[in-house]
Amino acid sequence: MMTSFDLTGKTALVTGCKRGIGFAMAMGLAEAGANIIGVSANLEKSGSDIEKAVTALGRSFVAYQCDFTDRAAVKNFAAQVMAEQGVPDILVNNAGTIKRQPAAEHSDEFWFEVIDVNLNAQFLLSRDIGAKMIERGSGKIIFTASLLTFQGGLTVPGYAASKGGIGQLTKALANEWAGRGVNVNAIAPGYISTDNTEALREDPTRSQQILARIPAGRWGQPDDFKGPVVFLASDASRYVHGEILVVDGGWMGR
């Protein structure tokens, strides 16, 4: 059974891998045997923490930078990485951003930045790399969704809209590509201790409200995503298509 989770010889492209959940996902994939292509807006070309951690496991790591707010840059990156590294076996669309401002005051700049990074860039990468996976007849695409794929949240209209879109995009691509050898799924994190939730964790009232609703009784940690991403990236999930796997300590069941 454990061989179904083995990623030896596979290559995973992980966006937003510099820290947080993306860092942990890249590490989980590397621990399962995959070589990693990492890309973030400000990822060091060499010597990054994620490079050191991956190569310490005996896996290879190649770094790229990409501005996910720039659609032309995203399309150029997709072409470049496939030309230089080949078509990855696994694409993890994790890069994301969040901007907090009440809806009636939410600026155009905040809205368009979040939609570009969280939704447009992820579609462009999935379309261009997914087309090559279809030609090959195999591939795994994994999106990072959110609890706000299902809920509206407060003061984050762009983020909620983008993550709702990711949920539907996951299903739309799976409907078209499941029969062509490409699995498309998503992971929806709950309240996780990362940069994105720092403001919530530092608010004593809001933090306590959140913890009171989580049956597991704690904030999630980035390492909680190693197992889920390996499952969706491996042969163990070969009959899983269009699924949004919620990793939330039980929040959605409450």
Side-chain angles (χ1 to χ4, degrees), residues 162-242:
S162 70
K163 292 302 184 176
I166 286 296
Q168 293 304 101
L169 180 60
T170 298
K171 296 170 187 178
L173 297 183
N175 288 343
E176 294 192 38
W177 297 351
R180 306 180 74 178
V182 179
N183 296 72
V184 185
N185 294 288
I187 298 172
Y191 286 92
I192 313 301
S193 183
T194 65
D195 292 349
N196 277 359
T197 61
E198 184 176 1
L200 296 176
R201 287 182 286 112
E202 291 183 350
D203 181 333
T205 300
R206 188 73 180 109
S207 180
Q208 183 55 42
Q209 290 171 340
I210 290 168
L211 282 173
R213 178 172 164 168
I214 300 173
R218 67 173 177 87
W219 287 78
Q221 297 297 320
D223 279 359
D224 292 323
F225 295 85
K226 288 183 175 181
V229 77
V230 169
F231 168 63
L232 291 178
S234 70
D235 193 52
S237 62
R238 62 186 176 272
Y239 197 59
V240 180
H241 297 276

Side-chain angles (χ1 to χ4, degrees), residues 19-180:
R19 60 184 184 273
I21 292 173
F23 186 108
M25 286 179 166
M27 286 302 299
L29 295 168
E31 288 167 7
N35 296 312
I36 305 298
I37 303 167
V39 57
S40 292
N42 300 302
L43 183 64
E44 298 90 340
K45 294 295 181 69
S46 64
S48 66
D49 289 343
I50 184 60
E51 177 185 359
K52 293 174 184 175
V54 168
T55 55
L57 295 170
R59 317 293 180 231
S60 67
F61 183 88
V62 182
Y64 287 87
Q65 291 183 350
C66 183
D67 178 0
F68 293 106
T69 67
D70 183 337
R71 297 176 199 174
V74 172
K75 288 188 276 190
N76 288 339
F77 164 70
Q80 178 187 5
V81 75
M82 288 190 287
E84 295 177 353
Q85 309 298 332
V87 181
D89 301 288
I90 303 152
L91 169 60
V92 180
N93 281 304
N94 172 74
T97 190
I98 190 168
K99 298 293 184 181
R100 300 181 186 277
Q101 196 171 49
E105 305 160 17
H106 210 77
S107 69
D108 291 357
E109 290 78 13
F110 276 13
W111 174 270
F112 290 119
E113 179 180 346
V114 171
I115 296 296
D116 276 332
V117 173
N118 293 6
L119 186 57
N120 292 336
Q122 301 200 24
F123 170 70
L124 294 173
L125 282 179
S126 299
R127 181 195 64 192
D128 293 358
I129 294 175
K132 296 300 182 181
M133 289 178 169
I134 289 168
E135 288 181 9
R136 183 178 59 201
S138 65
K140 301 276 191 171
I141 297 176
I142 303 163
F143 292 97
T144 297
S146 169
L147 292 184
L148 298 197
T149 299
F150 312 100
Q151 302 173 324
L154 295 170
T155 73
V156 288
Y159 186 83
S162 70
K163 292 302 184 176
I166 286 296
Q168 293 304 101
L169 180 60
T170 298
K171 296 170 187 178
L173 297 183
N175 288 343
E176 294 192 38
W177 297 351
R180 306 180 74 178

